[in-house]
């Protein structure tokens, strides 16, 4: 057992090896151990990509573009802390966000005038991304049940100028069934097995099998509720920052058996550039953690 492997909970090592095989397991562990570049999203509600690029050039901050999303930038030579000192951060003209977490809104393709639900929205990265994509012209409902996280969500909505968003402090599972939406984003609570910090001294204590199992139960309940509130023939996106089939494929398989939903293939320009892990369900996307991406799972569903 190598040093990094010994830092992970034993049950997680076994789960990952069983699911992905030794080669992919090594890739995942290497990804956990990589120092991730800072990535950001330009907030087009307040500014545009060229203005931000020019400001970064003036400050001698090196960046790289992202093929699948014009508004995303990879920062090459400074840390998150240094970006946070900039006026463009302070004014909400940029939002620090992992590339993986920018994927669900891109895959959902929110449009102006649509009535959209973000079921577990805090801290608001994906919510504000959808507000920007729709030029603040969609009707977005953002739910968060935790009081502290709800305050964080409200703060970010205001800072980003996302005036098209109505925030509700509620457990989305308890929403009234008369609600109905054109599109739903469910970035479900999960174990976080795709975003593990191996330097966390409490990792073995906090990352437990019980957490994985509990997450799956919550995910199923949220998905069932989402399908209930989604208009017939319409689309929702389910995502987690987990790479375990227990929270991803197994959850989706259960939903496909019990609910009136089908999988739609995920297609967008530049998808081939994303580091992928094999999934057991055709059409789903599982991102392999590396120095640019967090581990992430995304599926696009249509209500029949």
């Amino acid at each position: 057992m190598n040093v990094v492997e010994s830092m992970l909970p034993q049950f997680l090592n076994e789960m990952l090896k069983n699911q992905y095989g030794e080669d992919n397991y090594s890739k995942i562990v290497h990804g956990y151990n990589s120092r991730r570049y800072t990535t950001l999203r330009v907030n087009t509600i307040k500014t545009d990509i060229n203005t931000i690029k020019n400001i970064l050039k003036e400050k001698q901050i090196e960046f790289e573009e992202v093929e699948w999303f014009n508004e995303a930038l990879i920062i090459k030579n400074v840390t998150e802390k240094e970006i946070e000192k900039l006026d463009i951060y302070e004014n909400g003209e940029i939002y620090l966000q992992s590339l993986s977490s920018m994927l669900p809104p891109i895959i959902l393709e929110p449009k102006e005038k649509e009535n959209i639900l973000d079921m577990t929205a805090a801290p608001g990265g994906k919510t504000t991304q959808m507000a920007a994509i729709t030029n603040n012209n969609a009707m977005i409902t953002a739910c968060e049940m935790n009081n502290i996280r709800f305050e964080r969500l409200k703060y970010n909505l205001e800072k980003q100028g996302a005036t098209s968003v109505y925030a509700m402090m509620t457990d989305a599972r308890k929403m009234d069934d008369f609600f109905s939406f054109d599109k739903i984003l469910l970035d479900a609570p999960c174990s976080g097995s795709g975003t593990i910090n191996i330097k966390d001294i409490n990792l073995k204590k906090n990352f437990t099998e019980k957490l994985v199992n509990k997450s799956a139960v919550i995910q199923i309940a949220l998905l069932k509720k989402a399908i209930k509130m989604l208009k017939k023939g319409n689309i929702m996106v389910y995502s987690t920052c987990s790479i375990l089939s227990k929270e991803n494929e197994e959850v989706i398989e259960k939903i496909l058996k019990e609910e009136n939903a089908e999988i739609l293939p995920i297609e967008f320009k530049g998808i081939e550039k994303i580091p992928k892990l094999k999934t057991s369900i055709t059409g789903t996307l599982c991102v392999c953690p590396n120095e640019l991406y967090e581990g992430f799972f995304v599926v696009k569903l249509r209500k029949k």
Side-chain angles (χ1 to χ4, degrees), residues 248-279:
N248 298 331
E249 290 100 324
E250 286 179 36
V251 167
I252 295 303
E253 272 160 9
K254 187 171 174 62
I255 290 299
L256 293 176
K257 267 195 201 108
E258 295 176 11
E259 302 292 327
N260 201 15
E262 61 186 346
I263 287 179
L264 293 182
I266 292 171
E267 292 160 346
F268 56 87
K269 185 180 172 289
I271 191 172
E272 67 285 348
K273 301 286 183 193
I274 292 167
K276 295 174 196 67
L277 289 167
K278 200 172 180 338
T279 67

Side-chain angles (χ1 to χ4, degrees), residues 64-131:
E64 202 176 285
E65 293 171 19
V66 176
E67 192 159 331
W68 49 266
F69 189 27
N70 191 40
E71 272 69 58
L73 294 173
I74 299 157
I75 303 300
K76 304 295 279 187
N77 64 336
V78 301
T79 64
E80 210 163 275
K81 289 267 184 288
E82 288 164 282
I83 294 289
E84 284 171 356
K85 291 176 190 162
L86 301 175
D87 287 346
I88 51 173
Y89 174 81
E90 213 42 63
N91 305 336
E93 292 172 69
I94 58 169
Y95 187 90
L96 291 168
Q97 189 173 351
S98 83
L99 292 181
S100 299
S101 109
M102 296 180 205
L103 287 166
I106 297 279
I107 291 162
L108 186 66
E109 294 182 274
K111 302 273 190 290
E112 294 190 21
K113 307 287 183 244
E114 284 181 334
N115 198 357
I116 300 162
L117 173 65
D118 190 346
M119 284 182 88
T120 53
K126 296 174 193 69
T127 322
T128 52
Q129 185 181 343
M130 291 194 293

Side-chain angles (χ1 to χ4, degrees), residues 7 20 49 60 62 66 82 87 95 109 119-120 128 164 168 178 184 194 230 234 243 246 254 285 298:
M7 290 171 164
Y20 292 111
I49 184 78
Q60 294 180 316
E62 293 164 22
V66 176
E82 288 164 282
D87 287 346
Y95 187 90
E109 294 182 274
M119 284 182 88
T120 53
T128 52
S164 59
M168 285 173 79
F178 73 71
I184 296 177
L230 184 64
N234 286 24
I243 53 173
K246 176 91 186 166
K254 187 171 174 62
L285 171 65
V298 194

Side-chain angles (χ1 to χ4, degrees), residues 35-53:
R35 187 157 164 258
R36 204 161 283 122
Y37 285 102
T38 296
T39 55
L40 62 85
R41 174 175 54 79
V42 175
N43 177 17
T44 52
I45 293 169
K46 292 193 165 186
T47 186
D48 62 79
I49 184 78
N50 291 327
T51 302
I52 297 301
K53 282 182 185 171

Side-chain angles (χ1 to χ4, degrees), residues 198-215:
I198 53 163
K199 294 174 184 72
D200 177 5
I201 51 165
N202 295 314
L203 178 60
K204 284 184 178 172
K205 189 176 84 181
N206 294 336
F207 193 96
T208 62
E209 212 158 349
K210 190 181 170 189
L211 172 68
V212 174
N213 294 331
K214 187 182 160 196
S215 297

